Amino acid sequence: MVIKKPRIVIIGAGMAGLTAANKLYKSCAKNGAFEVCVVEGGNRIGGRINTSEFGGDRIEMGATWIHGIGGSPVHKIAQEIGSLESEKPWECMNGFLDDPITIDENGYVLNPSLVDPISNLFFSLMDFAQGKKKSVVPDGIEDNLGGITSVGSFLEKGLESYQKLKSRNEVNGCGDWNRKSLEKSIFAMHENTQRTFTAANDLHNLDYIAESEYVMFPGEEITIAKGYSSIIESLASVLPSGVIQLGKKVHDIEWHPECGSNSDSDSDSDSGSGSDSDPGSGSRPVKIHFLDGTTMSANHVIVTVSLGVLKAGITDSDSNSGIFKFNPPLPNYKIEAISRLGYGVVNKLFLKLSPDPELDRFPFLQMVFHKSDDQLKNPKIPWWIRKTSSLSPIYEKSSVLLSWFAGDEAHKLEALPDEVILDEVSTTISSFLSYKKCNGNAIKSCKFDKVLKSRWGSDPLFMGSYSFIAVGSSSKDMDSLAEPLTNGCSPLQILFAGEATHRTHYSTTHGAYFSGLREANRLLEHYNCIDV
């Protein structure tokens, strides 16, 4: 009899999946203790990390920042492999971001004396919500913040309290604005930036209590000069050829919640690429069915697909739709956790500036819009741009500009043809860069040559960007999502990793990294493997 080695199949070759594979291989698999296989539905590794090029510059279509360098495993890897410096220009978002110019939609440059107090209020409120400060400046605002359930309602109440304290009833603020409306729109600009940080379409759906439980690494936030994909490539580099299989889209995972039944008997043989047909007495209780008709059996499967894919799987009733599913379905506690947790889409829009010898550099432009129902709004600006907060070069004198979109606007961006985007963005920016001013200096208009956008919402392998704690859910739901599926006869059949399974570092690449490490260590402990 040939005893089959335990096989661990990892679904998804993103940060979580490759971290798990890297750990398992370096610890035990290279010594033959068990077999590791990574199956990836797409044609590349990286998942929601995807370094690309546009206009001669290195850019990130997905994950962009190392969120705090103090204690970040991503920063440590980047240092070790020399990825923090590059001779090629990259999306470094350097120091000019500290010196924005704020303009309203009709071309009035807003004086910092109008902008800074509201900006400082917003940042103070967010610091309070995130537990970084014990009080809000000015004093007294927190006295009116009882009964808050969402970040959106907290911010709304905070602004209302501020304006009551300051008695903002002046008629004139700047241009056609009154002071109170102008302050609300400046505040909304920062709220829209916060939407891109969290992936929440509406901050009123972002849980207030969970905001203070989120853990931030200390230190500056930086980008990776040689690209985020260099981290992924480093993790994958230790794996032998053939361990990672691309283009393997999973249809369903057949598992066994009860003892007494296994999908892989002594006479079983897997079908398709990457399977083994050696008979043996070992039993592999999990069978993965791929869209191409092949199958693969495993002792353990680490699922690292996005929360968006999991959400689609529990709501789709068509067994032939090709949507990722579990057979039998997941336990109710997991389905409920997946349903409650938030998951949204954030997209990046890159624009290439036409050459203009008179334009030394494009500024870091912060955009202030009238409310969508305001009669003073510019009718030429389309709705999907009205919750964009900024447009800026990816480094000080780059001809590549970047703007971020979240929620409904991000979905709309994905659906628009490039020529429509160029036309409507050009019209919008022309309105901002007109020759009006309000206690500030006017700047010139510009033209764009081409456009590039991410499409995370419509990509069936991701169905969005990252997770958040929605109102009605809690960090406990992420713990529930992370809990492995097992039974007494076949322990640890299905394990879960990915940013949405980490209760304090969700929505980040380092959260995904930690989750992959967690599940690899869970299996290493199960097999009593020694980390070598």
Side-chain angles (χ1 to χ4, degrees):
M1 286 289 221
V2 177
I3 305 299
K4 291 182 179 181
K5 289 188 293 186
R7 178 186 287 161
I8 301 168
V9 177
I10 300 168
I11 299 177
M15 178 67 87
L18 290 179
T19 298
N22 178 285
K23 178 68 175 180
L24 289 168
Y25 183 76
K26 289 195 298 186
S27 297
C28 272
K30 69 180 179 181
N31 297 327
F34 43 71
E35 176 187 345
V36 174
C37 180
V38 181
V39 292
E40 164 59 45
N43 58 7
R44 62 174 180 83
I45 63 173
R48 284 165 276 178
I49 293 172
N50 185 12
T51 303
S52 188
E53 185 174 307
F54 181 67
D57 293 336
R58 182 179 288 126
I59 61 166
E60 304 290 355
M61 299 300 290
T64 303
W65 300 92
I66 296 177
H67 292 290
I69 62 176
S72 168
V74 178
H75 183 252
K76 183 180 179 181
I77 295 171
Q79 281 184 312
E80 291 173 348
I81 65 177
S83 283
L84 296 178
E85 296 181 1
S86 174
E87 295 179 358
K88 181 181 177 63
W90 81 96
E91 187 181 339
C92 62
M93 312 301 291
N94 54 4
F96 74 97
L97 293 181
D98 296 328
D99 186 28
I101 181 171
T102 308
I103 306 180
D104 86 340
E105 65 178 85
N106 291 311
Y108 288 98
V109 180
L110 305 180
N111 192 288
S113 65
L114 297 170
V115 178
D116 290 351
I118 301 301
S119 298
N120 293 336
L121 170 68
F122 181 87
F123 299 142
S124 181
L125 287 167
M126 285 307 306
D127 283 347
F128 180 80
Q130 292 168 352
K132 299 175 186 176
K133 290 184 178 180
K134 294 183 179 180
S135 62
V136 181
V137 179
D139 293 337
I141 288 181
E142 60 265 33
D143 296 338
N144 300 313
L145 297 179
I148 296 297
T149 58
S150 72
V151 172
S153 58
F154 165 74
L155 292 170
E156 184 177 59
K157 217 167 194 181
L159 178 60
E160 287 176 359
S161 298
Y162 171 85
Q163 291 188 321
K164 286 179 181 178
L165 286 171
K166 295 296 183 179
S167 299
R168 293 303 192 191
N169 296 316
E170 296 95 333
V171 175
N172 293 318
C174 177
D176 297 326
W177 297 91
N178 65 60
R179 183 66 174 261
K180 192 171 184 178
S181 295
L182 179 60
E183 288 176 341
K184 286 184 176 180
S185 288
I186 294 170
F187 197 84
M189 175 184 73
H190 293 296
E191 288 181 307
N192 289 327
T193 298
Q194 196 67 27
R195 290 169 64 234
T196 67
F197 293 165
T198 64
N201 181 47
D202 188 335
L203 296 183
H204 284 81
N205 194 35
L206 189 65
D207 187 77
Y208 176 70
I209 294 175
E211 192 68 19
S212 62
E213 297 174 349
Y214 188 84
V215 175
M216 300 283 289
F217 279 133
E220 61 181 326
E221 296 186 276
I222 63 173
T223 57
I224 301 175
K226 290 183 180 175
Y228 237 112
S229 291
S230 66
I231 308 296
I232 289 296
E233 291 159 4
S234 174
L235 290 169
S237 65
V238 306
L239 303 175
S241 176
V243 168
I244 301 174
Q245 299 179 30
L246 300 179
K248 297 292 289 183
K249 294 183 175 67
V250 176
H251 179 270
D252 68 83
I253 300 176
E254 184 182 347
W255 65 291
H256 295 273
E258 303 294 338
C259 291
S261 175
N262 288 313
S263 63
D264 190 1
S265 65
D266 292 352
S267 60
D268 169 72
S269 64
D270 295 332
S271 65
S273 174
S275 60
D276 83 315
S277 56
D278 295 331
S281 60
S283 177
R284 292 175 175 157
V286 187
K287 180 169 284 189
I288 304 167
H289 298 260
F290 297 96
L291 285 177
D292 61 10
T294 61
T295 63
M296 182 183 295
S297 61
N299 297 82
H300 315 281
V301 175
I302 303 178
V303 175
T304 73
V305 300
S306 75
L307 179 60
V309 170
L310 294 176
K311 281 180 174 289
I314 64 172
T315 57
D316 182 73
S317 59
D318 184 357
S319 60
N320 297 314
S321 65
I323 298 290
F324 184 102
K325 291 184 177 68
F326 294 88
N327 180 24
L330 293 172
N332 286 337
Y333 78 91
K334 267 195 188 292
I335 291 175
E336 290 167 1
I338 291 168
S339 299
R340 285 191 294 260
L341 287 169
Y343 184 76
V345 59
V346 175
N347 279 317
K348 300 172 74 173
L349 174 65
F350 295 95
L351 299 156
K352 180 71 168 61
L353 273 172
S354 302
D356 184 351
E358 295 185 10
L359 183 64
D360 178 50
R361 72 176 180 91
F362 195 92
F364 172 25
L365 172 63
Q366 292 189 147
M367 296 183 282
V368 176
F369 295 93
H370 285 283
K371 294 176 71 172
S372 58
D373 58 354
D374 197 321
Q375 292 182 348
L376 297 174
K377 73 175 185 180
N378 188 331
K380 295 181 180 179
I381 298 177
W383 70 268
W384 63 272
I385 297 182
R386 289 191 163 273
K387 287 192 177 180
T388 311
S389 60
S390 66
L391 178 67
S392 67
I394 62 172
Y395 55 87
E396 187 168 2
K397 291 193 176 182
S398 176
S399 61
V400 175
L401 307 184
L402 169 62
S403 192
W404 296 74
F405 292 78
D408 294 337
E409 293 77 22
H411 283 290
K412 179 64 175 180
L413 176 69
E414 294 188 33
L416 289 173
D418 288 355
E419 58 271 19
V420 173
I421 294 172
L422 282 170
D423 177 62
E424 296 189 345
V425 170
S426 295
T427 298
T428 299
I429 300 305
S430 293
S431 296
F432 277 88
L433 304 187
S434 60
Y435 288 87
K436 301 171 185 176
K437 61 182 181 178
C438 180
N439 299 322
N441 298 314
I443 56 178
K444 295 185 177 181
S445 186
C446 58
K447 295 181 180 179
F448 305 107
D449 282 341
K450 54 183 178 179
V451 61
L452 178 67
K453 61 187 176 183
S454 57
R455 295 181 174 91
W456 296 109
S458 56
D459 191 320
L461 294 176
F462 307 103
M463 297 185 175
S465 302
Y466 34 88
S467 62
F468 61 92
I469 307 290
V471 172
S473 66
S474 72
S475 53
K476 292 180 180 179
D477 287 326
M478 290 187 166
D479 289 341
S480 295
L481 181 55
E483 189 175 323
L485 300 178
T486 187
N487 69 38
C489 304
S490 304
L492 301 178
Q493 288 183 49
I494 303 178
L495 305 93
F496 295 83
E499 53 85 14
T501 70
H502 200 292
R503 68 178 292 159
T504 57
H505 290 293
Y506 53 88
S507 80
T508 66
T509 54
H510 59 262
Y513 178 95
F514 286 139
S515 74
L517 206 60
R518 178 192 67 218
E519 298 312 310
N521 285 332
R522 196 192 301 272
L523 287 170
L524 290 172
E525 183 178 352
H526 174 69
Y527 284 105
N528 297 312
C529 278
I530 299 173
D531 190 358
V532 294

